Structures are given as C-alpha cells and as structure tokens.
Amino acid sequence: MASSGEDILRLAAVIDRQRRELDRLRGNAAARSVVDMARGALIERLGCSPAEAASQLAALAAEFGTSAAEIAAAVISHDPVPPPETGQSRNWQAEAAIELADDGGELATAVLDHALAPLGAAAVALWLMGTDGGLSLFGEAGLGSAEASRWRHVPPQLDCPAQRVAQGGPDLWWPAGPPAGDTAPLVGRWPGGARAVVALRDRGAALLGVMEVCWPGPRADFPGSVREQAAALAQACAQVLGTRLTQGDLSAHSHQAVRGLLDGLLESLLAASAVRDAEGRVTDFRIDYVSDTFPDPAGRSAGELAGHTLLETFPPLCTAGGVLERAVRALTTGEAQHLSGPVTAAPAGRAAGALADIRIARFFDGVAITWRLAGEADRLTALLGHIQRLGRIGGWEENLVTGQAEWTDSAFAMFGLPAHASAAIPLADLHSYVIAADVPVVKRFRETLLRGKEPTGATFRVVRADDGSVRQMRVFAEPVIDPAGTVVALRGAFQDISAEYRAQVALDATRDQLADSEQRAAEEHLLAVRLQQAIMPPTAQPVEAAGIEVAVRYRPAGPGHLVGGDWYDTLLLPSKEVLLVVGDIAGHGIDAVTGMVAARNCLRGLAITGAGPAKLLGYLNS
C-alpha cells in the first residue's frame, strides 16, 4: 500500500488519544474519590448533612477560583485553602456576562467591555462557521456598522486571518500587524495594530467559529497572561454558542436544523466533526450524529457509533485513498467526494458487509457521509467491471426504435471518448471512426445483423480520439427481434485485440523468415551434395595396380550435418606408382566443397612432376 506509513501514524494517533482519554477518566475517578472523602471529613467536623457538605465544597471552590478537587485535597490534608487566583487567566465577571448575553451583539460587547478593553483592545468580532466553509459575522463590538457590513460574510476563498484559522491553521498572534509581505485583507481600521485570532471550539474540539480581537496600535508582545485570558474567553464563548446551537436558539446556524433537513432528504446521514492535532492538521473525524436509518455494515446502532472517531469505528475504510483521506480532502477543498462500491468494511471482531456509493461533503467544520449497503447487484456489477477491464471488453446496446445507443465506460475508454451518454456512437455511424480500408467490413457487419438477423462478428481498426493511436478491434453482436420478426435492438461488445494482433503479425513475419532460411539452407545443401557427388562419384572404380585394391567409405559425422570438406583421391602416376590422398577443408557447405575441389585438382596437377609425398604437400601448401 502506497501510504501505509500514514495509516500507521493515524492508528498511533488513535491509540494515543485513547490513552489520554483513559488517563482523563482515571483522573476524574480519583478526583471524585477525593471529593467524596472531603465530604465525609466535613460531615464529621461540622456535623452537617451530605448535601450541606457538597454545597460547602462548591462554595469554597467558587470563592477561591479553583476546582472542587483541590479544595477537597486541602480539606483532607489539613492544608490551608489556596488563595484566590490573582492573575487574569480567568475573568469570572466577563464569563458571567457572556452567559447572560441575549444575542451576538451583546456577546461581543460583554467580551470587549469586561475583558478586552482593560487590555487596550479596541474591537472584537465573532464569526460562526457556515456549511460552505464561509464565516458569518455573529456579533461585533468596536468595528462600527459600515465596517461590520463589509465583513458580514467571509467566503472560504478569501485569504484573511479569520479564514486561515477557520481552515485549520493555528491561532494568530500579530503584535504589530501582519508580517512583512503579507497582503491579506484585515478587518477594522487599524492595519498596523496588534491582532489576535482565536478558534472557537466546543468540548469535542469541533470548530464553531472564530474570534478576532483588534488593538489600535502595536504591542511589544502578547504575554502569557493575555493569551490565557483570550483562550478562556474563547472557551466561554464557544460553550455558549455550542449550547445554543444544540438547543436550536441559533436557528440560522443550527447544526441540528441542517441535520434534520438533510436527514429528511437523504436515505441516511452520518455527520462528523474534524479532530485536529496541536498544529491544526486534521487527523480524524469524531462522529457527532447518525440518523436512525444509517446502514452500518456491522449492524451497530446510532448510539454505538456516536462519539467515536472514523478511524476507531471503520478502520478498513481509513486506509490510503479511503474514506478518511477523502473526508479530509472534502473538508479542505470543499469538493464533494464519491467512492463507488462495493468497498469492504470489516471492523475487528465483527462480521461486516460491503458498502457502495459512498458520498462525502463538507458540513460546517466536518463532513457529512452517506452510503448504502452493497447488495448482490453491486457485487455482480463490480465483477462485470473487473471482467471488462481484464479482458479489454466494452459492452454496448442500441435501440433501433428510438435511435439511442448506450455504451459502458470501458467501451468509451477503448475508443478514447469521454464517458457520457451523448458520446455513444450508433452502429450506423461507426464507420466514421474506422480506417478507410476497414469501412466495408463494418458496413457488412451491420447488414448481416439487420438483414440476416443472426449473430456475427468483425475485425476492424480505429483511430483513438484522444491520442491518435491505431487500435485493432473485434466486435461481436446479436440482434434483438420482437414477436413480429422485426429487429428492434442490437447488443454486443467491443474487444481491443491490438496486443494479440501485433503478436500475430510478428509471429507470421518470423515464420516467413524461418521458411525462407530453411529453403535457402536446403538449396545450398543440395547443391553441395551434387558438387561432391560430381567430383567424387560413389561408384568410381577402384584403382588396380601392383596388386593393390582401393575402396572408400564416406560417412558424415552425424545425421542432418551439412556436407563437409572431407575428400580423398587415388591416382596412378606415370611411374606406375599409386598416390593415395586423404584431406579435409575446414567448414561445411558450398565453400568447403569448392575449396576441396581446388585442393584436389591442384594436387593432381602437381603429382605429374614425380615428386614424393612430402614435396607434393610443400608445393600444395605454397
């Protein structure tokens, strides 16, 4: 798998997140245990009831600005109660005003007046994330009506500080306007002033919107106390917004209202919000909502799925190129994603089916996913697609009554045409795409189907529309005949046989070359044999002189060997002596035979001199 490393990182992130969740649960359990022990201590010391002891702990925690667990620990250990928090990381007055705000304007005013104005801030803007990834101005304070109207809606394509944070970037802290070279448009009348942009996230880390704070002039820096207070304000605003979104008070931006609308329009719906790491990268999606009719491949209910992440719930679907990767792409680009099925989904330890027609679209700071369980028809469709791909086959059908032709995607691909209905070629027009020499073949093919009313096939060449390459095609089809005997439709298949055709052409050429070589070799062999037989006839009479009889037997080294240069001779000299010669010319065939003839004749001529054998060989060598 190409991206197996990414899959391992994702699984490691899930394990790390589950470990942190387990630590949190253990911490909560320990804190509850400490609180219970402190209640018992107060009951013993003060002689009060359990309810009064719990109220006393809550009152002390609120008075000193700390948690009930810390107060309980101080009570148990007899340590003095810690003093109230003196820093500015928590502003109880501002958070109370935020809780009491009736609308976005009051909410922004409470944030500015009770918390940010003492820090020198001049304006604050609160945006809510829309379904299209845009930001809608929910409330502002200090900007003015004209400036607020210009920033009423921030589309996802606009590169500005608020959208950078909304699209997954980290919080921005600019002490003196944007960095050098950054030309992003800025809200407010203070382009060189300090600016902070903080994400508004609910308890589940889902992005609800963005808070942007403007200062009229630059600052030396943002100390930790300012950043802590801004984070606390953002958390308070997010809690208020999250509660109102859940309860439907913000009907224009309500997740529930949109979910209900989609649930009524679609067969099923799964809504999930993005889970990001410390650097703002999307690592997973937490399932927020599952419709009652949502078909889980393992048969789990909506309650079993909600609250878990995609990677935890559907591990097989989150591998490279799967649902998780497509969901991240839909969230970041805004483009809807489609995965055709069937796709196997088998969670560990559960029997699971396959999914088909998976569609993913951006939904607020997350995605909406729909799918259906794949049936037998989907399985057969996928099997047919594999067969067509492996066999380079494309199906087609033509209704002769309506004149409409339908092709499969693989048929379009073989002709290099775009895969849509209007590009399908009727059989009557197919000859327009065929090489001129093969046009009569295609026309005869169609006439056989229409008039002969019987299945038939043909082979022709086409020029692909996309790259201009020539492809060898085979088409086979059958007519569809109604009860009256009329051909009402044609159906068949194309097959790209270019590879087989090229292989056959090369094989035929090789066979022709081999036949020519064999014929030339046979002719040369016959010529050599005839030359040898003419020079050394096998019926030559032996030489009779001085009581000597000479006989010769000539045998090749093995069957099928070419005629060689082996030779012999017997010659009666004028001195009545007999010259016996046995020789060999290196090689085989005509060259060896002609060399042997030359050597034999030369030696016969030299023998007339009467020289001895050694002298004759010296003459012959010279």
Side-chain angles (χ1 to χ4, degrees):
M1 187 174 300
S3 299
S4 59
E6 297 180 4
D7 298 336
I8 294 174
L9 291 177
R10 290 170 178 166
L11 291 173
V14 171
I15 295 173
D16 185 61
R17 185 165 56 251
Q18 291 176 337
R19 185 181 292 113
R20 292 197 303 269
E21 181 67 16
L22 181 60
D23 292 340
R24 185 185 65 81
L25 294 175
R26 289 173 176 170
N28 292 342
R32 286 194 298 270
S33 177
V34 172
V35 170
D36 292 340
M37 293 173 63
R39 288 177 182 173
L42 289 177
I43 292 173
E44 180 183 0
R45 296 174 190 174
L46 304 177
C48 59
S49 66
E52 291 173 340
S55 300
Q56 184 70 15
L57 283 176
L60 289 172
E63 180 180 354
F64 291 100
T66 185
S67 65
E70 293 180 3
I71 295 293
V75 170
I76 294 173
S77 61
H78 303 284
D79 291 337
V81 177
E85 194 173 9
T86 58
Q88 293 184 333
S89 61
R90 297 299 298 271
N91 190 324
W92 304 106
Q93 185 180 7
E95 294 185 15
I98 290 172
E99 291 283 350
L100 297 175
D102 291 332
D103 54 30
E106 289 189 9
L107 183 61
T109 301
V111 171
L112 181 63
D113 293 346
H114 294 283
L116 297 176
L119 300 177
V124 64
L126 301 173
W127 280 282
L128 286 181
M129 175 72 75
T131 56
D132 60 348
L135 296 174
S136 298
L137 187 62
F138 176 66
E140 59 83 21
L143 292 181
S145 58
E147 183 71 6
S149 64
R150 286 194 291 268
W151 292 87
R152 189 65 56 190
H153 179 72
V154 181
Q157 299 83 9
L158 182 63
D159 182 21
C160 65
Q163 272 293 359
R164 292 178 185 178
V165 175
Q167 293 181 9
D171 294 343
L172 299 180
W173 301 91
W174 292 348
D182 194 329
T183 60
L186 303 176
V187 64
R189 305 181 299 276
W190 312 278
R195 187 176 302 267
V197 185
V198 183
L200 302 178
R201 300 184 182 276
D202 63 10
R203 289 186 175 88
L207 184 66
L208 302 178
V210 174
M211 179 179 72
E212 185 166 355
V213 185
C214 303
W215 278 263
R219 295 174 56 97
D221 197 2
F222 288 100
S225 59
V226 174
R227 298 195 182 207
E228 291 177 4
Q229 184 162 345
L233 291 173
Q235 182 180 3
C237 291
Q239 291 178 358
V240 172
L241 294 176
T243 302
R244 295 184 181 182
L245 286 170
T246 303
Q247 296 175 354
D249 295 341
L250 302 178
S251 58
H253 308 281
S254 175
H255 290 59
Q256 291 297 117
V258 179
R259 290 170 183 168
L261 175 62
L262 294 178
D263 213 359
L265 296 175
L266 303 173
E267 294 182 1
S268 62
L269 174 67
L270 183 150
S273 56
V275 177
R276 291 181 167 87
D277 58 15
E279 298 180 359
R281 293 190 298 264
V282 178
T283 59
D284 206 343
F285 289 85
R286 179 177 288 102
I287 301 174
D288 299 324
Y289 173 79
V290 181
S291 62
D292 294 335
T293 57
F294 190 83
D296 177 59
R300 293 164 293 190
S301 64
E304 293 180 86
L305 300 178
H308 298 282
T309 66
L310 290 180
L311 192 53
E312 295 168 348
T313 312
F314 307 106
L317 300 180
C318 297
T319 54
V323 171
L324 181 57
E325 185 174 317
R326 296 296 187 93
V328 173
R329 192 180 307 170
L331 178 62
T332 55
T333 66
E335 298 179 0
Q337 303 293 312
H338 179 216
L339 283 169
S340 58
V343 178
T344 302
R350 291 178 180 263
L355 307 177
D357 197 28
I358 303 175
R359 298 181 182 272
I360 308 171
R362 182 161 61 185
F363 185 75
F364 293 96
D365 186 41
V367 292
I369 304 175
T370 65
W371 64 50
R372 60 184 177 83
L373 292 178
E376 184 66 15
D378 298 296
R379 189 187 67 81
L380 294 177
T381 300
L383 179 61
L384 178 60
H386 294 317
I387 293 174
Q388 291 185 358
R389 175 178 55 83
L390 295 174
R392 298 189 298 276
I393 298 175
W396 59 272
E397 187 174 40
E398 181 178 348
N399 189 324
L400 299 179
V401 179
T402 63
Q404 182 179 2
E406 295 182 359
W407 284 18
T408 62
D409 291 347
S410 56
F412 285 115
M414 284 191 290
F415 281 77
L417 297 172
H420 55 79
S422 61
I425 306 170
L427 193 58
D429 299 333
L430 184 60
H431 64 274
S432 302
Y433 294 80
V434 174
I435 290 179
D438 296 338
V439 170
V441 175
V442 175
K443 290 185 175 180
R444 285 196 302 270
F445 169 73
R446 185 171 183 272
E447 290 296 324
T448 302
L449 288 172
L450 296 179
R451 296 185 179 179
K453 300 180 180 179
E454 59 184 16
T456 186
T459 302
F460 55 89
R461 290 164 292 176
V462 300
V463 179
R464 283 176 58 103
D466 54 354
D467 57 9
S469 62
V470 178
R471 311 295 292 181
Q472 189 82 8
M473 297 287 183
R474 178 189 294 127
V475 60
F476 40 92
E478 65 177 4
V480 179
I481 304 173
D482 65 3
T486 304
V487 179
V488 295
L490 302 173
R491 59 191 175 200
F494 299 112
Q495 185 178 21
D496 187 344
I497 58 171
S498 302
E500 292 85 347
Y501 176 75
R502 288 192 293 268
Q504 186 62 43
V505 170
L507 181 60
D508 292 342
T510 303
R511 285 175 176 172
D512 293 341
Q513 293 176 357
L514 181 60
D516 292 341
S517 300
E518 290 177 347
Q519 184 177 359
R520 288 195 300 270
E523 292 174 352
E524 291 179 358
H525 182 74
L526 180 60
L527 178 60
V529 170
R530 288 178 178 176
L531 284 173
Q532 189 183 53
Q533 290 175 350
I535 296 170
M536 294 184 299
T539 58
Q541 295 296 326
V543 178
E544 296 182 359
I548 297 176
E549 293 184 359
V550 179
V552 176
R553 185 180 187 187
Y554 180 89
R555 296 184 65 185
H561 283 69
L562 295 174
V563 175
D566 304 306
W567 61 282
Y568 71 94
D569 197 5
T570 58
L571 179 66
L572 183 63
L573 300 177
S575 62
K576 303 304 180 177
E577 292 179 314
V578 177
L579 176 64
L580 302 179
V581 182
V582 177
D584 184 18
I585 298 294
H588 297 82
I590 294 177
D591 292 339
V593 172
T594 55
M596 174 265 290
V597 171
R600 179 175 178 271
N601 291 337
C602 286
L603 190 58
R604 280 200 168 200
L606 293 171
I608 300 301
T609 62
K615 205 69 171 175
L616 288 177
L617 289 179
Y619 291 156
L620 183 62
N621 188 47
S622 300

